[in-house]
Amino acid sequence: MARPIAQKLQRVAAADVCIIVEGCYPYIPGGVSAWIDWLIKSQPGTSFSIVALWPRPTDQPPRYQLPTNVVSFQHVYLQNFGASPVTRLRVPPGTDDFAEALAAFSMHGGSASLAQVAIQLQALRRVLPASVLFNSPVAWDIVRRMYAQRMPYSSFLHFFWAWRALLGGLFATLEFPLPPARVYHTISTGYAGILAARAALETGRPAVLTEHGIYTNERRIELLMADWVADTVDKGHALDDPRLDLRDMWINAFEAYARTCYDACTDIVTLYDDNQRAQRMLGANPAKLSVIANGIDLARFSNVATAANDLRPTMALIGRVVPIKDVKSFIAAAHYLKATVPNVRALILGPTDEDPEYFAECTTLVHDLGLEETVEFTGTVNILDYMSQIHVCVLTSLSESQPLVILEAGAARIPFVATNVGSCREIIEGRSDEWPPLGPGGIITDLVAPQQISNAVGQLLLDPVKRRTYGETLQKRVAESYTSAQAVASYSKLYSRLIAAPSAAPIVPPTEG
Amino acid sequence: MAVAVLPANRSASMPYAKDNAQTSSSVAVRGAFSDHGLAALAALVIEAAMLVIITTGRINPMMFLGAHAIVVILLGVRAVTVGHRGGNTLSPMLTLIAVAATGPIGAAGTLLLMQLASRPRQDQALLSAWYERIALSIDVDDVTLLCDAVATGRTPDLATVTDRSFATVMQSGNLADRQTALGIIARKFHPDYLPALLLALKSPEPIIRVQAAAVATRIRPLLRARVDKAATSAESVTGDSIATLAADMKMCAASGLLDESDRLRADVVEKLLLKRAAATTVTDTAAWRRFVPSSPLQRDVSEGQLLSLGQFKALRVSRRLTRLLGHGLYSIRRPETGSSRRLL
C-alpha cells in the first residue's frame, strides 16, 4: 500500500500532461487505476499532474505510490460545494442569462454551451463568489425557473435536491483552479470530462479522452435501476411518456456532460471497436475516434510451458470472486462438464475476500453440487505458477472492458472461453479488419449460460489439436496487437503530437483562483 | 469505474427534509416591536411630542415642519437601506408615506396595521401541516396521495401506455425503449418479464447485454427467494394455487438465472406440486394455462431454454400441455379408479 501523498506535491507545478480521473485512482485498486499507474510509469520522460475527483474528503489511504514523474496531485470534491446559506442578498444583474445558459447546458451540453455557462458565471463572480451564489436566493430563483420550464409534473422537493447534487458537482468543477499543463487527459466523461473541456476552453490547450467503459452508459444503467431515485410521476409501464422525472433529469445531465467532453476533446481514445459505437451514438465526431488497446508484457508469459495432454483436464477462471465475474456460472459449467469429462478440475484463481457473502454462496453451491473434488479456490496466487497446468481458461463475467487475463493467457498459448462482453469477442475472434484473419483463439458464449460454457470447454478439453491451434492463434493475435510496447508507443506518439500542438485562442477567460 | 459520485441513497440526497418540517411549524409571527414597528413607534412619539409642543406655543410652525421633514427623511433613508439589503420595503414605504402625509396619525395608523397583520392567521395550522406534508416528515394516507397525484398530473398517462410486450420491445424496439424496459424489469420485477430479460441477455447490442446482466444479478436473489418460499408452502398450498405455484417454479427453473442447486430445487418443487395437482380436481383452467407459454415467442424462448439446459422431459410435458389446452379439452385420469373424467 502507498504512503500518504506527500504534502510537497500539493503545490501546483506545471506539467506536460494533466490526468483528470474520477472516482478511482489512487484509492481504488485494479482496473482503471492500474492502467493509470502503468501509463504514467511507461512515459518517464513526460511530467504529469493529477486531478482526482472524489465525492468528499476521504481518509482512505492511496493504494498506489505516486510515480516520480508526477509533479502535483489535487482533489476536486464534488459533493462538498457551497458556502453557508445566505438569505438576504440583492439579486445581481446577469442572473437571467446565467439561468438560461445553465438550463440549456444541463439539457443539451456541448462546449459552446459550457463556455456560455462559464462566461456568465465569471460575470456573476465579480459580484459574489459562486459558493455563496449556490446557497442563496439567486440559486433558489434559478431552480424554480428550471423546474417550471423542464419538469413541472415532478415533485419540486425532489427536483430541488437532485438539482443541488448535480449542480454542486458542476459548480465544483467550474470553480476549481486548473493546474497548468500542455495537455489535459481525462479518463472518463462525466465531471472529469467537464473539467477537461473547461481546461481546453480556458487555456486553449488540447484535451484528450480515453474511455475504458462508457461512463454515461454505466450511469444510465445505475440510474435506471436505482431505488433511491424517486419516481414522482407514475408512468406505469409506459416506455415513452414525455413527462420528465428525476431519472430523466439525471440521465440527461450525464449525456449532456458526455456530449460536452466529446465536443471539446481533440482525440477520443477507447480500448476496442465496440465502444466507439456507443461514443458515436452519444454524438462523438467519428474523425476524432481511435483505438489504443491495452497491452501486456509478452515475454513474461510466452515462455510458459503448455499444459501436457496427459495432465488432469483443467479449466481455470482467473479473477476475483465477486458477482460481476459470475463465478456461479463457472461452477455450474463444471457440474455439467463432469458428464463428458468426469475427472475435470476447475480452478478459481483470485482473491476471495472482496465479497465474503458471495464467496460463501459459491462454496455452498460447490457443496450442494458435490464438486468438492472438482472445484478449487486458490485465493490470490501468482498465475504464472499455475499456467502450465491449465488447458483452457474461462471468463464468465457479466461485464468487462478489455480483460488483461485473456491477453495473458493468450500470450501463454492457452485457449479461452469467454462470455460475449466488452472486447472479449474482438480478442478471441479478431477485429473485423484483421488481415489476414488469424481465426479463433477460443470460443465466445452467451451470458449466464453455464451449459454453453461447459460445451465449449468440453470441445477444447477433448480435442488436443483444436486446443493447440486455438492457443497458438490467440498468442499470435496478442503478439500482433496487444503488447505493452505497442500501447506505450501509441500514447507516446499521441502525447508528443498534442504537447507540440500550438495553443488555440482561449474561448473563456481564465478563472481567477 | 466511478465511485459514489451519485448520492448513495435518498436520505443523503434530501438531507434537510426533517429540518424543513421542523422550522415550518414555527413560521415567524411578527411582534409589535419588530424593526419596522420600532421605527413607526419612534416616528409616532416624535411627531406626537412636536404636536404637543407646538400647541403650547414653544416652537413655531416652521420649526415643527423642519423637524417633521427630518423624521420623513430618516424614514426615507431607512426604506432605501432596507431595499439595498434585499429586504421587503413595503412596511417602511407605507410608514414613510403615512407619516409624511398625516404626521403622528399616519405613524399610529401604520403601527395599528402592523399589529393586525402580526396576529396569527386562522390557516397557520393548515400551512404548517402543508409544509410537513411536502417535506415528507409525516405519513400520508393512500387516498390523499392519490388525490394529490391526480391534482398534480402525476398519474399514468393512458395515451402513452404501450401495447407491446417487453419481449417484443427487446426484439424490435429502439435502444432507449429497450433500456427503459430493462430498468422497469429491475425495479418492478415479475416472473412474466423473464422471457424479455433472457432475450436481452442474448442481444446483439452490447449495451443491452451489459444492462441485462446487471438486471439478472439483481433479480437472482428474488428468484431464489421465490423458490425458498415455494419449497416451504408446497405441501400446504391448496386448490388452484397449486397450478399457479407450479407454473411459477417452472418459469424460475427455466429462466437460467438460478444457481444450479436452486434450479434443481425448483424442479423438485414443481414435480411435487404436479403430483399433488394430479390428485386434485382442477376447476380453474386459467390457472393451468400458466403452465404453458402464452405466445409463440414465449414458447420459443422457454423451449429454447429447456433445450439448452437439457431438460427434455420438461420440454415434452410443456408441448403436450400446449397441445391439450389448444384442443380446448383435457382430462385427468384418477389412478385409483382407472377412470378418466373429461373436464371441458
Side-chain angles (χ1 to χ4, degrees):
Chain A
M1 198 174 294
R3 287 177 285 116
I5 294 162
Q7 189 60 31
K8 66 177 177 173
L9 291 177
Q10 298 301 318
R11 288 201 313 274
V12 180
D16 293 321
V17 178
C18 174
I19 299 252
I20 305 171
V21 56
E22 185 177 327
C24 60
Y25 185 85
Y27 300 107
I28 308 291
V32 176
S33 292
W35 180 86
I36 291 172
D37 190 60
W38 161 85
L39 176 68
I40 296 172
K41 286 175 178 165
S42 72
Q43 312 287 329
T46 303
S47 60
F48 289 85
S49 59
I50 297 172
V51 177
L53 281 73
W54 205 251
R56 290 186 186 85
T58 179
D59 288 333
Q60 277 187 25
R63 304 295 284 267
Y64 295 86
Q65 188 84 29
L66 290 184
T68 51
N69 53 337
V70 172
V71 300
S72 77
F73 179 90
Q74 295 168 276
H75 289 98
V76 178
Y77 297 116
L78 298 174
Q79 291 178 13
N80 219 30
F81 188 79
S84 300
V86 169
T87 53
R88 291 181 168 198
L89 193 70
R90 195 163 67 96
V91 176
T95 310
D96 286 354
D97 293 336
F98 179 63
E100 288 298 323
L102 201 56
F105 174 72
S106 299
M107 199 66 193
H108 305 294
S111 56
S113 188
L114 177 65
Q116 268 307 302
V117 170
I119 289 169
Q120 296 296 337
L121 185 60
Q122 287 192 357
L124 281 174
R125 209 184 278 120
R126 290 188 202 109
V127 178
L128 75 170
S131 57
V132 173
L133 185 147
F134 186 67
N135 276 338
S136 70
V138 176
W140 174 254
D141 194 50
I142 292 171
V143 169
R144 282 195 309 114
R145 263 190 283 161
M146 283 176 76
Y147 170 78
Q149 272 176 18
R150 291 178 47 194
M151 293 174 56
Y153 292 103
S154 70
S155 156
F156 177 76
L157 182 70
H158 290 82
F159 175 84
F160 175 78
W161 291 110
W163 183 94
R164 282 186 64 83
L166 262 174
L167 274 293
L170 178 64
F171 273 63
T173 55
L174 291 175
E175 286 292 286
F176 175 71
L178 287 169
R182 303 285 302 163
V183 176
Y184 293 90
H185 186 174
T186 177
I187 316 302
S188 68
T189 56
Y191 293 105
I194 292 294
L195 190 57
R198 182 195 142 208
L201 292 170
E202 276 189 28
T203 66
R205 295 306 307 161
V208 58
L209 163 68
T210 297
E211 278 196 290
H212 289 239
I214 301 295
Y215 176 104
T216 312
N217 199 49
E218 289 167 5
R219 300 291 81 71
R220 179 198 287 270
I221 291 172
E222 269 178 38
L223 288 162
L224 283 172
M225 302 210 303
D227 292 322
W228 59 262
V229 180
D231 290 319
T232 67
V233 178
D234 186 357
K235 299 186 187 181
H237 288 65
L239 300 178
D240 44 16
D241 190 314
R243 293 172 293 175
L244 294 183
D245 202 354
L246 294 168
R247 237 173 269 276
D248 307 301
M249 176 189 174
W250 280 98
I251 291 170
N252 287 345
F254 283 119
E255 286 182 351
Y257 297 171
R259 274 191 284 274
T260 307
C261 181
Y262 291 149
D263 203 12
C265 286
T266 55
D267 289 78
I268 301 168
V269 179
T270 187
L271 305 185
Y272 57 99
D273 278 346
D274 253 354
N275 260 0
Q276 290 185 337
R277 291 180 60 245
Q279 292 172 329
R280 273 193 286 267
M281 276 194 254
L282 281 163
N285 182 346
K288 296 183 184 180
L289 304 182
S290 62
V291 169
I292 300 179
N294 277 341
I296 59 156
D297 180 4
L298 195 68
R300 193 166 158 239
F301 297 93
S302 56
N303 295 325
V304 169
T306 308
N309 293 341
D310 56 359
L311 275 181
R312 184 179 171 189
T314 301
M315 67 174 187
L317 183 150
I318 304 173
R320 299 164 294 140
V321 180
V322 291
I324 203 161
K325 297 290 183 189
D326 196 16
V327 178
K328 290 183 182 178
S329 285
F330 178 76
I331 295 168
H335 166 70
Y336 292 126
L337 191 53
K338 283 195 76 167
T340 48
V341 185
N343 60 337
V344 67
R345 181 164 76 135
L347 295 174
I348 300 171
L349 309 173
T352 57
D353 54 355
E354 196 172 315
D355 190 330
E357 199 178 311
Y358 185 73
F359 175 53
E361 289 172 13
C362 290
T363 50
T364 303
L365 182 60
V366 167
H367 173 75
D368 287 348
L369 296 176
L371 294 174
E372 291 91 337
E373 302 299 318
T374 304
V375 175
E376 184 185 336
F377 293 93
T378 65
T380 304
V381 294
N382 183 349
I383 59 172
L384 283 171
D385 296 338
Y386 283 81
M387 276 182 154
S388 56
Q389 307 167 36
I390 298 169
H391 295 96
V392 179
C393 267
V394 181
L395 199 66
T396 46
S397 298
L398 303 178
S399 177
E400 288 282 357
S401 181
Q402 190 162 71
L404 291 176
V405 66
I406 302 184
L407 305 181
E408 289 164 351
R413 290 183 305 283
I414 303 174
F416 222 102
V417 171
T419 45
N420 189 8
V421 292
S423 61
C424 293
R425 186 184 289 278
E426 199 173 284
I427 300 173
I428 288 173
E429 295 181 355
R431 285 171 65 166
S432 52
D433 58 355
E434 184 180 73
W435 190 258
L438 298 174
I443 301 173
I444 292 291
T445 71
D446 292 330
L447 280 73
V448 199
Q451 186 72 64
Q452 270 190 40
I453 293 166
S454 152
N455 292 343
V457 174
Q459 271 185 55
L460 294 173
L461 285 178
L462 297 173
D463 188 341
V465 172
K466 190 182 218 177
R467 189 168 72 237
R468 190 180 67 245
T469 307
Y470 279 20
E472 285 170 357
T473 303
L474 192 55
Q475 187 191 48
K476 203 169 170 189
R477 181 171 292 122
V478 170
E480 281 186 7
S481 307
Y482 296 102
T483 63
S484 182
Q486 286 163 330
V488 169
S490 295
Y491 273 105
S492 182
K493 194 172 157 191
L494 176 68
Y495 281 158
S496 299
R497 173 167 60 81
L498 294 177
I499 287 170
S503 296
I507 295 171
V508 175
T511 304
E512 285 147 30
Chain B
M1 173 188 83
V3 171
V5 294
L6 300 175
N9 55 53
R10 187 168 158 195
S11 61
S13 68
M14 291 207 311
Y16 302 126
K18 281 277 183 207
D19 291 342
N20 284 345
Q22 283 155 13
T23 57
S24 70
S25 59
S26 58
V27 170
V29 175
R30 296 243 180 98
F33 298 105
S34 64
D35 286 351
H36 303 312
L38 280 172
L41 186 65
L44 172 63
V45 165
I46 294 168
E47 294 272 337
M50 286 193 307
L51 207 55
V52 166
I53 292 168
I54 199 177
T55 57
T56 63
R58 287 191 190 164
I59 56 172
N60 62 47
M62 288 312 293
M63 283 174 70
F64 169 77
L65 281 175
H68 174 71
I70 291 169
V71 169
V72 170
I73 287 167
L74 285 173
L75 286 173
V77 165
R78 185 165 183 282
V80 168
T81 309
V82 167
H84 265 301
R85 278 198 236 124
N88 191 340
T89 54
L90 180 62
S91 291
M93 288 303 297
L94 272 177
T95 309
L96 169 66
I97 293 167
V99 170
T102 57
I105 298 170
T110 52
L111 208 50
L112 185 63
L113 207 60
M114 283 179 207
Q115 284 278 25
L116 290 172
S118 70
R119 273 191 204 169
R121 292 191 295 246
Q122 291 282 339
D123 57 357
Q124 195 59 47
L126 185 65
L127 199 60
S128 298
W130 173 245
Y131 286 148
E132 287 189 347
R133 171 133 57 105
I134 62 173
L136 305 174
S137 59
I138 55 171
D139 287 330
V140 182
D141 64 273
D142 290 342
V143 172
T144 308
L145 282 174
L146 184 57
C147 288
D148 282 350
V150 171
T152 51
R154 293 175 191 172
T155 46
D157 181 355
L158 296 180
T160 61
V161 170
T162 180
D163 57 358
R164 295 176 293 166
S165 70
F166 281 168
T168 306
V169 170
M170 291 307 161
Q171 284 204 308
S172 55
N174 61 35
L175 182 61
D177 281 353
R178 283 184 281 167
Q179 289 200 277
T180 304
L182 282 170
I184 294 172
I185 292 172
R187 298 194 313 275
K188 304 179 187 179
F189 175 69
H190 188 280
D192 285 354
Y193 298 150
L194 279 170
L197 179 59
L198 297 175
L199 282 170
L201 281 168
K202 292 186 188 1
S203 170
E205 174 57 64
I207 292 174
I208 295 298
R209 284 202 305 277
V210 165
Q211 187 173 354
V215 175
T217 306
R218 180 175 161 127
I219 68 169
R220 265 171 151 172
L222 302 178
L223 289 179
R224 186 187 311 143
R226 288 181 94 92
V227 173
D228 288 343
K229 194 173 168 190
T232 54
S233 60
E235 293 282 1
S236 56
V237 70
T238 56
D240 297 321
S241 298
I242 298 176
T244 307
L245 197 57
D248 198 23
M249 287 301 101
K250 179 179 153 138
M251 181 84 87
C252 288
S255 70
L257 297 178
L258 286 173
D259 294 347
E260 185 59 17
S261 54
D262 291 327
R263 188 193 65 76
L264 291 169
R265 270 198 313 146
D267 251 352
V268 165
V269 171
E270 185 203 340
K271 285 180 175 66
L272 171 65
L273 289 163
L274 282 175
K275 203 171 166 184
R276 288 192 61 214
T280 312
T281 303
V282 174
T283 56
D284 181 1
T285 55
W288 277 99
R289 285 190 185 276
R290 293 198 59 190
F291 262 103
V292 299
S294 59
S295 70
L297 175 64
Q298 195 183 43
R299 182 195 62 218
D300 290 345
V301 167
S302 73
E303 286 189 0
Q305 282 297 306
L306 292 171
L307 266 173
S308 70
L309 287 169
Q311 297 285 312
F312 303 113
K313 188 174 177 190
L315 181 61
R316 285 198 298 276
V317 168
S318 171
R319 285 185 173 170
R320 194 182 306 149
L321 277 172
T322 307
R323 269 202 313 275
L324 288 174
L325 286 172
H327 289 151
L329 59 82
Y330 62 92
S331 63
I332 291 186
R333 188 174 305 168
R334 291 191 171 277
E336 63 272 25
T337 63
S339 65
S340 64
R341 193 169 99 193
R342 179 169 293 177
L343 296 175
L344 277 182

